[in-house]
Amino acid sequence: MDFIISGVALLVGIGIGYAIFRYVLKQEYQKSVAKAEKDAEKIKGEKLREVKEKFQAKKSELDREVQQRNSKLQQAESKLKQREAVLNQRQEELAHKKQELDSGRQSIEAQKQNLERKKQELDSLQAEERARLETISGLSAEEAKNNLIESIKDEAKTQAQQYVNEIVDDAKMTANKEAKRIIIQSIQRVASETAIENSVSVFHIDSDEVKGRVIGREGRNIRALEAATGTELVVDDTPEAIVISAFDPVRREICRLALHQLVADGRIHPARIEEVVAKVKRQVEEEIIETGKRTAIDMGIHGLHPELIRIIGKMKYRSSYGQNLLQHARETANLCAVMAAELGLNPKKARRAGLLHDIGKVPDEDPETPHALYGAKLAEQCKEKPDICNAIGAHHDEIEMTTLLAPIVQVCDAISGARPGARREIVEAYIKRLHDLEQLAMGYQGVTKTYAIQAGRELRVIVGADQISDADLDILSADIAKKIQDEMTYPGQVKITVIRETRAVSYAK
């Protein structure tokens, strides 16, 4: 019974608690709903304020843009109005100018018609005047024109000749002075020793007993030596001397050195002679190459072909008119360098051309062409530059000069060969040159006598006074000088003096 009462009491307590819970829960729910509604109202108000603010900002921004666009439209409209005003003004100006042009064109047409009328009147007056002049002079207009042209031509020729003479005189005064200065400075700054070569060499011996050993039994030693060297040995009564004769200086030098070694060794027989001569030939060939190299180094010339170096070395044993060829080439090269420097040209190229200008005189075989052309061919084969080859080939005027190096080499070659003591000339050739010089001048009309004086460096020409006038003397002198340049070979320069003499002869009886 108590258990039942306890259970009922528990159920009643539970029901009361549940009712209280529902009441409390309802109260809390109502409070939450009220709070939520307040929060919602608050958020709604805030959102409305934000929307209003954004709307106001957008509106103000749109108002500014509209205002800016309106101002731009107003500016564009004002510009268009200004342009319209300018265009209207220009149209008015163009219309005014068109009116002026129309009036000016009418005026020009009137002036043109007036000019045509005056031209016709002038032509008629000229025709009448020409007819009157032809009647008075008895000449037609064409004949008078030709006479006037001829007279003007004669006057122009006279004035031109006077002008040419003045130019030539002025050029002679300045050019000769400058040329002499350059040549004198070049000669003074270059010194070269004089070397005279002969066609014989003398080998000195200690005693005449050596002559017998050189000759050998029945002359076999001397014949073997002559055959091996290509020379001729003269063993005569000249005390303590053996004469070696040959036109080739290299052969004479080989024979001299071979004789020196044979005499010093004491063993002289044909086999030994051939052995020594072969050895000396190799030594001389090495000496030639060494001489060429040393010369190129001394002259400051680089990049020469080995064949050109050998040819330069061979010049040591060659001579031209008694002048050592290597000394002549070195002297010419130094003169070319000095003269090129004075003229503002490349002195290295000039020195190179001067050293190589006579390489055609020492060929390994006898060429049929002149030495200048042969030398130019050799230089071209050895890859020398065209201006160097032209200077070599043209230094005797056998080909045309195409560069400024050619006349420099020609002049310096003449200076080196023409200086006192440089060369000796065969008497017969010297006399023949003087005779040819005189005969060349005698071939001109009006020449009565010619005299070659000062060793052929001056030619005096006597002309007949009744055959040649004073005005023709300059022309005759220039013609003779040009013909000498073209047809003759001579060292230095030749002065041509033409003399016209008038004589009056009377006899008292």
Side-chain angles (χ1 to χ4, degrees):
M1 189 69 177
D2 290 333
F3 178 76
I4 295 172
I5 293 170
S6 297
V8 171
L10 179 63
L11 290 172
V12 172
I14 292 169
I16 293 169
Y18 177 71
I20 291 169
F21 175 75
R22 285 187 63 187
Y23 177 76
V24 171
L25 185 62
K26 184 177 179 181
Q27 292 294 325
E28 289 294 329
Y29 172 73
Q30 289 177 352
K31 289 180 181 179
S32 297
V33 169
K35 185 178 180 181
E37 288 178 355
K38 288 180 180 180
D39 291 341
E41 288 294 334
K42 186 178 179 181
I43 291 170
K44 181 179 178 182
E46 291 177 355
K47 293 294 183 182
L48 286 173
R49 284 195 302 271
E50 290 179 0
V51 169
K52 286 180 180 180
E53 289 176 357
K54 288 182 179 180
F55 177 75
Q56 291 295 334
K58 290 287 185 181
K59 183 180 179 183
S60 61
E61 186 177 352
L62 288 172
D63 290 339
R64 284 196 301 270
E65 290 181 358
V66 170
Q67 188 176 1
Q68 290 177 357
R69 289 181 180 178
N70 289 334
S71 63
K72 288 181 180 179
L73 288 173
Q74 289 176 359
Q75 291 176 359
E77 186 177 357
S78 63
K79 288 182 180 179
L80 288 174
K81 289 180 179 179
Q82 290 176 359
R83 289 182 181 178
E84 185 178 359
V86 171
L87 289 174
N88 293 332
Q89 184 179 359
R90 288 185 178 177
Q91 285 180 354
E92 292 176 357
E93 291 178 355
L94 288 173
H96 183 66
K97 288 183 179 180
K98 184 177 180 182
Q99 292 176 359
E100 291 180 352
L101 287 174
D102 292 338
S103 62
R105 189 179 294 111
Q106 293 174 0
S107 176
I108 290 171
E109 289 293 334
Q111 291 178 0
K112 186 176 180 182
Q113 292 176 0
N114 189 19
L115 287 174
E116 288 292 335
R117 185 173 63 257
K118 290 184 177 179
K119 184 179 178 183
Q120 292 175 0
E121 294 176 357
L122 183 61
D123 290 340
S124 62
L125 289 174
Q126 286 181 348
E128 293 176 0
E129 188 68 21
R130 187 182 295 113
R132 190 181 303 133
L133 289 173
E134 289 178 357
T135 304
I136 295 172
S137 62
L139 296 173
S140 65
E142 191 65 27
E143 292 175 350
K145 180 180 177 182
N146 292 333
N147 291 338
L148 180 60
I149 290 173
E150 290 298 327
S151 64
I152 292 174
K153 279 185 179 179
D154 294 337
E155 184 179 358
K157 285 182 180 179
T158 304
Q159 292 180 356
Q161 185 63 36
Q162 292 176 356
Y163 184 62
V164 168
N165 290 335
E166 291 176 0
I167 293 176
V168 170
D169 293 339
D170 183 62
K172 286 179 180 179
M173 291 176 63
T174 57
N176 286 339
K177 184 178 179 181
E178 185 66 16
K180 287 177 182 179
R181 183 188 67 80
I182 293 174
I183 292 174
I184 290 171
Q185 285 188 359
S186 301
I187 295 173
Q188 287 176 346
R189 291 169 60 182
V190 177
S192 177
E193 60 188 39
T194 302
I196 300 298
E197 293 286 342
N198 297 315
S199 60
V200 296
S201 298
V202 178
F203 177 72
H204 296 282
I205 55 178
D206 295 335
S207 64
D208 289 342
E209 295 178 0
V210 180
K211 293 182 178 180
R213 295 165 54 193
V214 171
I215 295 173
R217 183 179 299 177
E218 297 178 356
R220 63 178 185 176
N221 290 347
I222 193 171
R223 286 198 300 272
L225 187 58
E226 288 178 345
T229 59
T231 60
E232 181 180 354
L233 274 68
V234 180
V235 183
D236 54 10
D237 295 335
T238 305
E240 299 181 355
I242 297 176
V243 179
I244 305 169
S245 176
F247 287 106
D248 190 344
V250 178
R251 293 179 183 177
R252 293 204 311 270
E253 182 67 12
I254 292 173
C255 184
R256 187 186 68 81
L257 294 175
L259 264 179
H260 178 73
Q261 293 189 16
L262 289 169
V263 171
D265 184 43
R267 294 177 296 167
I268 304 177
H269 53 82
R272 177 64 177 166
I273 288 171
E274 292 180 358
E275 179 184 350
V276 171
V277 168
K279 181 180 178 182
V280 170
K281 281 183 179 179
R282 290 193 297 272
Q283 291 176 354
V284 170
E285 187 67 26
E286 292 176 358
E287 176 66 21
I288 286 173
I289 296 174
E290 183 63 26
T291 300
K293 290 181 179 179
R294 190 166 56 251
T295 301
I297 293 172
D298 292 344
M299 303 298 292
I301 297 173
H302 307 286
L304 283 174
H305 193 276
E307 180 64 20
L308 292 180
I309 291 177
R310 189 179 71 83
I311 291 173
I312 292 171
K314 285 182 68 176
M315 288 183 180
K316 177 182 177 182
Y317 302 100
R318 298 279 177 165
S319 62
S320 176
Y321 295 97
Q323 185 181 22
N324 182 269
L325 198 57
L326 181 59
Q327 293 295 333
H328 168 61
R330 291 171 66 101
E331 184 178 4
T332 303
N334 288 327
L335 285 168
C336 288
V338 173
M339 194 169 292
E342 288 288 336
L343 295 173
L345 302 176
N346 189 342
K348 291 185 178 180
K349 275 192 174 183
R351 184 182 286 109
R352 192 185 192 98
L355 183 65
L356 300 177
H357 80 282
D358 270 345
I359 58 175
K361 287 187 176 181
V362 284
D364 294 327
E365 55 186 13
D366 293 332
E368 296 180 358
T369 57
H371 77 274
L373 299 179
Y374 184 69
K377 182 180 178 182
L378 283 176
E380 186 176 359
Q381 291 175 355
C382 295
K383 309 300 182 184
E384 287 293 323
K385 293 184 178 179
D387 51 355
I388 304 292
C389 298
N390 178 258
I392 295 172
H395 77 275
H396 284 314
D397 291 326
E398 288 164 336
I399 61 175
E400 183 182 358
M401 297 181 180
T402 58
T403 64
L404 290 176
L405 286 180
I408 291 177
V409 171
Q410 185 182 53
V411 170
C412 294
D413 176 47
I415 292 173
S416 175
R419 62 177 174 79
R423 295 182 176 182
R424 66 173 184 270
E425 198 170 7
I426 301 173
V427 177
E428 290 80 1
Y430 170 72
I431 295 174
K432 184 178 183 302
R433 181 165 64 84
L434 296 184
H435 179 72
D436 292 342
L437 193 63
E438 293 178 349
Q439 291 300 315
L440 184 143
M442 284 295 296
Y444 286 87
Q445 184 178 3
V447 177
T448 57
K449 294 179 182 179
T450 57
Y451 300 98
I453 61 176
Q454 294 185 5
R457 299 189 184 279
E458 182 178 355
L459 179 65
R460 291 189 179 177
V461 181
I462 311 298
V463 299
D466 55 342
Q467 299 181 15
I468 294 179
S469 63
D470 290 338
D472 295 333
L473 295 182
D474 291 337
I475 299 174
L476 178 62
S477 176
D479 290 344
I480 294 174
K482 187 176 185 304
K483 192 170 184 180
I484 292 174
Q485 289 176 2
D486 295 340
E487 298 182 6
M488 294 191 67
T489 302
Y490 54 90
Q493 63 181 10
V494 179
K495 177 182 178 182
I496 294 91
T497 303
V498 181
I499 302 172
R500 179 176 179 268
E501 185 180 24
T502 304
R503 296 185 182 183
V505 180
S506 300
Y507 295 94
K509 296 181 180 179

